[in-house]
Amino acid sequence: GAGVSQSPSNKVTEKGKDVELRCDPISGHTALYWYRQSLGQGLEFLIYFQGNSAPDKSGLPSDRFSAERTGGSVSTLTIQRTQQEDSAVYLCASSLAGTSTETQYFGPGTRLLVL
Amino acid sequence: AQSVTQLDSQVPVFEEAPVELRCNYSSSVSVYLFWYVQYPNQGLQLLLKYLSGSTLVKGINGFEAEFNKSQTSFHLRKPSVHISDTAEYFCAVRVPGANNLFFGTGTRLTVIP
């Protein structure tokens, strides 16, 4: 079946502009994760959604970052007033039920460049 | 708090040679351990994971890893690499009950013809 998809694949924006990144998880997966992959930083957790529960936002680096998940499926990560340090690859992952032993399935990522 | 250390940022190896990619972790509680691979311009794909039981875990594409509790290590090995194994490899841990994976900084494996 289809895997996790993300759009756009690449995004170039100017400092100060807002951007929206989209993630379509695997159908039937109730858990959805956002990570950020920066040069030399590895992957950092940003936010986690599980079903109708309140999201775990503990990884969001600032209040310029927000995310929502509508209808328990598609998720949008929004970065307001982008800064150059926001340049990174943003990865979305989903898993069946969010348990600790499950495999997370990753999308190809959105490469964001802030000029 | 937990941390994951991948000691080698880059590992070049000749085709058909063996390879070991090192991963050490630090955690005050037991963790689950994962290895993911990222091919160029693709998302991460699970290679293998250790949850419990036998400390030697076999994964896809001929890779295996051994969990060593006393050394707090989870090194990844392959006896004979192929050109197609050229990729970035990430070690990760997850604390039972926690919501996210915690990743190392990755090791870029380059297989030389």
Side-chain angles (χ1 to χ4, degrees), chain B residues 73-90:
Chain B
S73 68
F74 190 53
H75 300 332
L76 182 71
R77 302 186 184 101
K78 185 169 183 177
S80 175
V81 295
H82 302 293
I83 296 291
S84 59
D85 293 323
T86 294
E88 185 127 22
Y89 292 78
F90 292 92

Side-chain angles (χ1 to χ4, degrees), chain A residues 4-6 89-92 106-110, chain B residues 38 41-43:
Chain A
V4 177
S5 61
Q6 293 186 245
V89 177
Y90 290 82
L91 292 168
C92 176
F106 284 79
T110 293
Chain B
Q38 186 177 33
N41 299 315
Q42 294 186 29

Side-chain angles (χ1 to χ4, degrees), chain A residues 33 35 37 56 100-101 103 107, chain B residues 36 38 43 46 49 97 99 101:
Chain A
Y33 312 77
Y35 292 88
Q37 185 177 18
D56 175 359
S100 303
T101 58
T103 298
Chain B
Y36 278 84
Q38 186 177 33
L46 181 71
K49 58 184 174 182
N99 290 331
L101 290 166

Side-chain angles (χ1 to χ4, degrees), chain A residues 99-102, chain B residues 4 25 27 29-34 49-52 67 74 92-98 101-102:
Chain A
T99 65
S100 303
T101 58
E102 285 180 345
Chain B
V4 178
Y25 69 94
S27 176
V29 298
S30 295
V31 295
Y32 301 125
L33 294 149
F34 302 79
K49 58 184 174 182
Y50 174 77
L51 305 179
S52 65
F67 169 58
F74 190 53
V93 302
R94 187 166 181 176
V95 173
L101 290 166
F102 194 87

